[in-house]
Amino acid sequence: MTATESVPRQNLTAAELHEIDRYWRAANYLSVGQIYLLDNPLLREPLAPGHIKPRLLGHWGTTPGLTFVYAHLNHQVRRRDTELMWIVGPGHGGPAAVATAWLDGVYSEVYPDVGRDAAGMRRLFRQFSFPGGVPSHAAPETPGSIHEGGELGYALAHAFGAAFDNPDLVVAAVVGDGEAETGALSGSWQSVRFLNPVRDGAVLPILHLNGYKIAGPTVPARIPEEDLLAQLRGHGYAPHVVAGDDPDTVHRSMAGALASCLERIDTIRFRARHSGSSVENVRWPMIVLRTPKGWTGPRTVDGQPVENTWRSHQVPLAAPRENPEHLRQLEEWLRGYRPGELFDDDGAPRPGTTAVVPRPERRISGSPHANGGLLLRDLLLPDLRDHAVQVTRPGVEKAEATRVLGGFLCDVVAANPRNFRIMGPDETRSNRLDAVFEATDRAWTTGRLPVDRQLSPDGRVMEVLNEQLCQGWLEGYLLTGRHGLFNSYEAFIHIVDSMFNQHAKWLKVSRDLPWRRPVASLNYLLSSHVWRQDHNGFSHQDPGFIDHVVNKKPEIVRVYLPPDSNTLLSTVDHCLRSRNYVNVVVAGKQPQFNYLPMDAAVAHCARGAGLWEWAGSEDGAAPDVVLACAGDVPTLETLAAADLLRRHLPELRVRVVNVVDLMRLSNEGEHPHAMTDREYDTLFTRDRPVIFAFHGYPWLIHRLTYRRAGHPNLHVRGYKEEGTTTTPFDMVMLNDLDRFHLVMDVIDRVPGLGVRAAGLRQHMRDERLRCRAYTREYGEDAPDIRDWVWEH
Amino acid sequence: MTATESVPRQNLTAAELHEIDRYWRAANYLSVGQIYLLDNPLLREPLAPGHIKPRLLGHWGTTPGLTFVYAHLNHQVRRRDTELMWIVGPGHGGPAAVATAWLDGVYSEVYPDVGRDAAGMRRLFRQFSFPGGVPSHAAPETPGSIHEGGELGYALAHAFGAAFDNPDLVVAAVVGDGEAETGALSGSWQSVRFLNPVRDGAVLPILHLNGYKIAGPTVPARIPEEDLLAQLRGHGYAPHVVAGDDPDTVHRSMAGALASCLERIDTIRFRARHSGSSVENVRWPMIVLRTPKGWTGPRTVDGQPVENTWRSHQVPLAAPRENPEHLRQLEEWLRGYRPGELFDDDGAPRPGTTAVVPRPERRISGSPHANGGLLLRDLLLPDLRDHAVQVTRPGVEKAEATRVLGGFLCDVVAANPRNFRIMGPDETRSNRLDAVFEATDRAWTTGRLPVDRQLSPDGRVMEVLNEQLCQGWLEGYLLTGRHGLFNSYEAFIHIVDSMFNQHAKWLKVSRDLPWRRPVASLNYLLSSHVWRQDHNGFSHQDPGFIDHVVNKKPEIVRVYLPPDSNTLLSTVDHCLRSRNYVNVVVAGKQPQFNYLPMDAAVAHCARGAGLWEWAGSEDGAAPDVVLACAGDVPTLETLAAADLLRRHLPELRVRVVNVVDLMRLSNEGEHPHAMTDREYDTLFTRDRPVIFAFHGYPWLIHRLTYRRAGHPNLHVRGYKEEGTTTTPFDMVMLNDLDRFHLVMDVIDRVPGLGVRAAGLRQHMRDERLRCRAYTREYGEDAPDIRDWVWEH
Ligand SMILES: Cc1ncc(C[n+]2csc(CCOP(=O)(O)OP(=O)(O)O)c2C)c(N)n1
Ligand SMILES: Cc1ncc(C[n+]2csc(CCOP(=O)(O)OP(=O)(O)O)c2C)c(N)n1
Ligand SMILES: [Mg+2]
Ligand SMILES: [Mg+2]
């Protein structure tokens, strides 16, 4: 490919052009109205300061580009009856999304109080960015949107996620030229290398070069155009350039370009599906749209150029209430769209204004894919018991928990071949979920070699070394009504902290919108966790994603730390059935003890936190000390500590409590899963020392429990940011989470024990030294540590 | 540009080729030795199981590519005397970085116990990935490295950061082909659009297509080569392809390509600096290196191909201790490098082995830039008093704190024209730091238009809509001995959570390495914060970066919440003088009250937390209640609450405490800034209710203070994840942080007040209703809220 894909001769009739332009003008009018007007929506009176909102909040600059794209999408959808949804990358152009949904009639169906009449239009304008009204972005409140676009960068990732396994869908994704500078967006172009034209829908990127971001030009708009096109071609696209500032010319060119893109998509599909064409290295069409930022808005304000500069980004006329010249310019601007021609005397769009809107089922703003819960079907899940490990005695046999889970997931993949995917940054095998490759491959639609294994265009495991893309794809996939799992190293999941934030916020708001139907939860499986970074060391040690997650609304977030294989199975089974949550599951991939047979595991997970009678030595009386634990490695150390205590201090009554569902701990009333105080007191006591061995940063446990009666007696050990490449036991010792230190903690905290157990305490210190010295000499853990089993 | 930059006829003599190859073989030998050997480093005896490490931890696959690159860089540096440092993107190839530093002699200079002799080589091997030894990555412990490369994606960003303002430096950056899939790396190519050949050094990217990541092929290696080259050209580079698996051929080709790249860099520099050539759209050279993963390692193991497949990623021979065939293969592999030829009888490299190493001052692993503290010079800082706002009475006049800071930063930029930069994702003006543009522009070396403002190749403000790039550039800049500030919206700084983690970890480890000299702190200025997202709403509301930061080592992290302009000045002044920290400063950009004249502000910041006597009504006796606050908006609401209390409950003794330095609160002993318990008790009392109005998530305060005596009496209000586009006062009401709610909290908590003040409590509820209703009707806050000032 050496030149721009040439746009076929335009075939827009004058009438069609007029229709599109009229819709565009209407949408622009409604957008400006939203940003500025409190009243006088149809300009039936001369505009007066009292009609203007006191606070002008919103973004004009991006809006005319979005309405332009939408008007043209409408035209094509109506002509071709394409199943199409759109993603608004610059979501701050919220007015465009709202205006078009209102014009299509969808808005008033969803929000009947905002009708398509003068009163409705007044409400439409007033509510925008107004207290008690609607947000300024393409938020969950906006029909037709699965993408808020507040935090820029995820437009293409969401679009591809929506397109996967939706073979008839076209997802048009507007990408801002500022947005295109982000890492997330830059890494998203390669998504096309994972798209299979046989089973997947198409994504039509529309890179909107309006030239500017907030305060300056953008890189893609200012580099030589041949450089930009070379990049896009290199990513696997055939770009069509549409450029200009004269509406008629750009209308014609856009209509031609869009038509030929959709044509091309049909051809690609047909060839791949019916003529056996290769699905590899398909060159997908896309559009580069170069139009002025703030197009059709004020050219100059206060003597400064505004249209086609960054100055149009937010509110081009800053003070029409105070400044009569601004007011005049605003009125001129609004009247320039000729509202009388667009809306009838009742304020409803005249038929000609919406002539371009497709039949009701095809309206873009009404796409069911944008309210994925409507399309959601339950997963077919295998019987857990078929995958359970046999546990004859606790703490003796070992299994790799994620490997066991892999078998279960293999069945899930097999039973749900069209609506379940596993995402991961090249770690599915490293995280020991290999068994899934018995049922499927990795998705891959570019070159393959004979040496390759588990790679095919039909693979349902999506591996790309890009956590943002994994997350974005999965979000798009879930929000359009499907299911999935994201497996990642625990430390690097922080790469998507901010994306998780946005998704959790989306879910929080969606829950309160009755018309948004529940979607499948976003499930994280974090493995290769902090305690077992044998190959990598300090940079790979960070259990803090949980801390990050629990800052979000309790209604949305769930955190699980299953201690063994069967509890992991039960947990994931539960997560895959849940809706509207973010579930974080942390589980090890290294051989670890099995503790609970399947039935007991299910019961333990249902409890979320429970007594392990077999491990303690309470003997019916109240315990002297509680050893609590959460996470596989802390559970091991806790049991080993309990073992030491039973041997060395047989008279001490020890209770062992294991926590799977972290939110059970949180202060009464703060999380739907929180235990009552009575329950907590029964389990942890109000007055006995509790030595808590925790997988993550210790203070998280304090933050959850500070209101519990027993909190002053709670002593938590966890990761305190000490680590390197060393042995597993050295890692726990570095952080004072080891069995010996836990015994020392017991001695220090149980009243009366200190002096009496001085010898044992000293012995424990010596044991730590011995174990450390052993690692320094032999490079591995001492045999008694490696070979320890639960013997009681 | 239509074809690959053609490589000039190779000019490597047979002797040179031999030298390079010999160095390469030595580095490979030393790398394999590190991964496998406990003993018998020179293979003087036949290899026996006892010579093998019990745990084999490391990554072979990437290593021979890295050593290959390094050998060739050596050759060029020696020939051309270039000032060059390297960045190892695939930092998991730690053995390569360590091996080459040892060969160069640098390693033994830094770590004299690891000498260049047999004993030293034994130690070199043994220590690698060994308990008590060195990490498996290019970590801070590794001389010559500023880039750990554990979390992949930041190689180019770091390289550009290092190159800025280092006009004579060439930074060679090896990028893994898996790494190239990450968002961070994908977004980093555009860095070259910000590089000014007159004042900046050069970055020479070496994209290493070894074809695989952990478990499968990589996108850049498998797409058609013309696509890849089109991308790279489109990004502004002239790629030179070097490909093959026959060492001699690839040596010749690599030498030729490197020579012509360095030649080209010299030409670009010369033209820009001396011939007045344009500095815009310069096409910088780079290398695409396509060689087998695990090159020179075992071809097949257990019947499976290994060299040139993903199977070589970690340890190709898994069990040489147990499996005699593996042991044999390992010995054959090692002997294949002909160690006897490489090292003398003492184990030192023979002269011919290191013939390619440059003169001592030019050794790449010894680059002073990689230990930036060596080159660090203090900033020249203006007098704070020149920028202070005048404060005649507290809480009456307003200023935009970040605007005031802008004036100060303008002077910093002007006084430090070669070693201070400001980074930000297009928000410097939005965050109201515009005054800096009086001293400088935004850096920009691509197309400009007449309409542009504040844009030039010499700009010292680095704006790109890419938080990862801002962070990566700044890290690279700081670690090579310069200073800077990163300004960002508060919510979106989460995009770099994981990058912050890695930098904090780097600093933590560096502190304990006496040879690593302190570097300037990484300073974040977070503005456009959660409470004032007037234009944007919920997606832009997240104060959780602080929570994330305080999980890292207390020695490294500092968090400041200056309540007004003068305290912000004093805080930033302090941060710019500090070393080896990460400082997070959260400050508003909206007009807010000034409280403290400059001297008082400096004193208050030095205290970190202090009584505001003028605001309270203690009257010499112990207070009945403490109103504490941290952050500009909470401070305002707290003062307004104090005002209400003074009016309505004049007999109540109220203390007002303001906290600037959040870490002052943390439990005694947990952070270097933590107050003693005595101090804390004096300030906050042990027994009076404390109503704490906090900028961020309320539980953070509990997590910091749960051990304080007064903790049970502490009630915190903060952001509880409620928000949308609404008025400032509605935002605080949504989160119960408003003045009226604070008064209600006081009434509920002060013993004896409840019943007596029932009327006032009810009035406060009514006030909330009134204020909310006002916003719903008028779209702005009630006048008494907007116009409130401190009147006492
Ligand atoms: C990740 C991120 N960083 C910063 C911002 C702040 N921001 C809001 S809009 C904008 C400029 C967007 O430019 P562009 O993508 O070109 O959209 P346009 O408005 O020009 O269509 C920026 C930087 C953001 N929303 N997201
Ligand atoms: C952000 C991130 N995600 C995942 C990983 C886990 N990981 C370690 S090495 C690796 C593959 C790297 O491949 P490449 O960059 O090609 O390096 P090379 O082939 O030279 O080893 C991955 C995915 C990581 N280190 N960083
Ligand atoms: Mg733009
Ligand atoms: Mg690779």
Side-chain angles (χ1 to χ4, degrees), chain A residues 59-63 65-66 89-93 137 149-154 174-182 208-216 218 293-294 312-314 498, chain B residues 425-427 430 464-467 488-489 492-493 495 536 539-540:
Chain A
H59 299 80
W60 163 248
T62 192
T63 299
L66 296 174
H92 47 281
H137 285 64
E151 183 172 292
L152 295 164
Y154 316 128
V174 185
V175 176
D177 50 352
E179 177 176 21
E181 294 178 4
T182 63
H208 187 206
L209 304 181
N210 63 12
Y212 299 91
K213 39 198 192 221
I214 300 184
T218 65
K293 188 153 186 166
S312 66
H313 181 68
Q314 287 187 343
S498 60
Chain B
D426 182 33
E427 292 160 5
S430 169
V464 61
L465 210 178
N466 188 315
E467 285 78 2
S488 168
Y489 286 2
F492 301 149
I493 197 67
I495 293 173
N536 297 297
S539 62
H540 287 52

Side-chain angles (χ1 to χ4, degrees), chain A residues 214 426 497 505 541 551 699, chain B residues 214 497 505 541 551 699:
Chain A
I214 300 184
D426 183 31
D497 275 4
K505 282 172 180 280
Q541 292 159 349
N551 272 344
W699 32 86
Chain B
I214 298 184
D497 275 5
K505 282 173 180 280
Q541 292 160 349
N551 272 343
W699 33 86

Side-chain angles (χ1 to χ4, degrees), chain A residues 425-427 430 464-467 488-489 492-493 495 536 539-540, chain B residues 59-63 65-66 89-93 137 149-154 174-182 208-218 220 293-294 310 312-314 498 502:
Chain A
D426 183 31
E427 292 161 4
S430 168
V464 61
L465 210 178
N466 188 314
E467 285 78 2
S488 168
Y489 287 2
F492 301 149
I493 198 66
I495 293 173
N536 297 296
S539 63
H540 286 53
Chain B
H59 300 80
W60 164 248
T62 192
T63 299
L66 297 174
H92 46 281
H137 285 64
E151 183 172 292
L152 294 164
Y154 315 128
V174 185
V175 176
D177 49 353
E179 177 177 22
E181 293 178 5
T182 63
H208 186 205
L209 304 181
N210 62 14
Y212 298 92
K213 37 199 193 227
I214 298 184
T218 65
K293 188 152 184 166
W310 69 94
S312 67
H313 181 67
Q314 286 186 344
S498 61
Q502 300 302 331

Side-chain angles (χ1 to χ4, degrees), chain A residues 574-637:
Chain A
H574 175 80
C575 293
L576 291 177
R577 294 172 196 275
S578 74
R579 298 287 178 268
N580 270 357
Y581 299 152
V582 175
N583 297 306
V584 181
V585 183
V586 186
K589 68 182 187 184
Q590 303 288 349
Q592 282 286 6
F593 290 121
N594 306 319
Y595 304 109
L596 305 182
M598 199 65 231
D599 289 336
V602 170
H604 186 55
C605 291
R607 272 178 226 122
L611 252 177
W612 280 3
E613 283 107 338
W614 52 268
S617 55
E618 293 187 61
D619 236 357
D624 299 313
V625 64
V626 178
L627 299 186
C629 50
D632 58 352
V633 166
T635 299
L636 167 64
E637 293 307 314

Side-chain angles (χ1 to χ4, degrees), chain B residues 294-551:
Chain B
W295 199 12
T296 72
R299 294 241 164 131
T300 58
V301 177
D302 304 331
Q304 300 272 27
V306 171
E307 193 192 28
N308 206 13
T309 82
W310 69 94
R311 293 191 190 87
S312 67
H313 181 67
Q314 286 186 344
V315 179
L317 296 160
R321 251 156 86 115
E322 298 79 20
N323 180 328
E325 174 54 19
H326 285 196
L327 186 69
R328 194 196 60 71
Q329 275 189 284
L330 175 59
E331 180 157 7
E332 184 182 285
W333 177 13
L334 279 163
R335 292 205 191 274
Y337 297 121
R338 285 170 275 148
E341 205 177 292
L342 303 171
F343 306 104
D344 67 18
D345 292 344
D346 288 338
R350 295 187 195 273
T353 306
T354 52
V356 79
V357 176
R359 66 186 171 94
E361 299 69 34
R362 283 283 184 255
R363 287 172 303 175
I364 301 167
S365 52
S367 170
H369 297 285
N371 184 5
L374 289 172
L375 307 173
L376 183 68
R377 303 184 51 175
D378 288 352
L379 282 177
L380 300 176
L381 292 176
D383 192 332
L384 284 183
R385 278 151 198 83
D386 295 345
H387 296 278
V389 294
Q390 297 308 311
V391 183
T392 45
R393 286 178 45 206
V396 178
E397 308 105 339
K398 293 189 174 182
E400 297 153 304
T402 52
R403 200 178 292 287
V404 173
L405 178 67
F408 175 79
L409 290 176
C410 173
D411 281 8
V412 178
V413 168
N416 303 275
R418 306 214 54 82
N419 63 343
F420 178 73
R421 296 209 186 196
I422 297 175
M423 319 281 172
D426 182 33
E427 292 160 5
T428 311
R429 196 168 60 91
S430 169
N431 288 330
R432 306 199 183 165
L433 300 170
D434 324 23
V436 297
F437 294 120
E438 287 160 29
T440 189
D441 295 312
R442 296 178 180 83
W444 191 260
T445 54
T446 189
R448 279 180 291 168
L449 296 176
V451 77
D452 289 333
R453 295 283 172 279
Q454 300 150 349
L455 219 59
S456 89
D458 299 320
R460 307 200 63 75
V461 176
M462 311 292 299
E463 287 204 336
V464 61
L465 210 178
N466 188 315
E467 285 78 2
Q468 294 169 313
L469 212 37
C470 293
Q471 171 86 17
W473 285 345
L474 183 54
E475 289 176 359
Y477 199 64
L478 297 174
L479 291 173
T480 48
R482 284 78 63 78
H483 305 262
L485 179 88
F486 179 178
N487 78 94
S488 168
Y489 286 2
E490 184 183 36
F492 301 149
I493 197 67
H494 276 297
I495 293 173
V496 301
D497 275 5
S498 61
M499 297 183 74
F500 152 80
N501 276 350
Q502 300 302 331
H503 189 70
K505 282 173 180 280
W506 182 278
L507 293 178
K508 186 246 176 197
V509 176
S510 297
R511 281 174 70 95
D512 296 333
L513 298 171
W515 62 274
R516 283 235 176 239
R517 303 280 292 275
V519 294
S521 302
L522 197 164
N523 302 306
Y524 292 101
L525 175 69
L526 307 185
S527 195
S528 304
H529 63 50
V530 54
W531 299 108
R532 296 304 301 274
Q533 275 303 337
D534 308 12
H535 279 270
N536 297 297
F538 197 40
S539 62
H540 287 52
Q541 292 160 349
D542 188 301
F545 187 63
I546 312 175
D547 298 65
H548 178 70
V549 162
V550 298
N551 272 343

Side-chain angles (χ1 to χ4, degrees), chain A residues 5 43 76 78 126 161 205 229 350 399 492 550 578 580 595 615 708 710 787:
Chain A
E5 195 84 348
L43 291 188
Q76 298 296 336
R78 201 168 53 105
R126 206 183 155 82
L229 298 179
R350 295 186 195 274
F492 301 149
V550 299
S578 74
N580 270 357
Y595 304 109
R708 300 292 190 180
D787 301 341

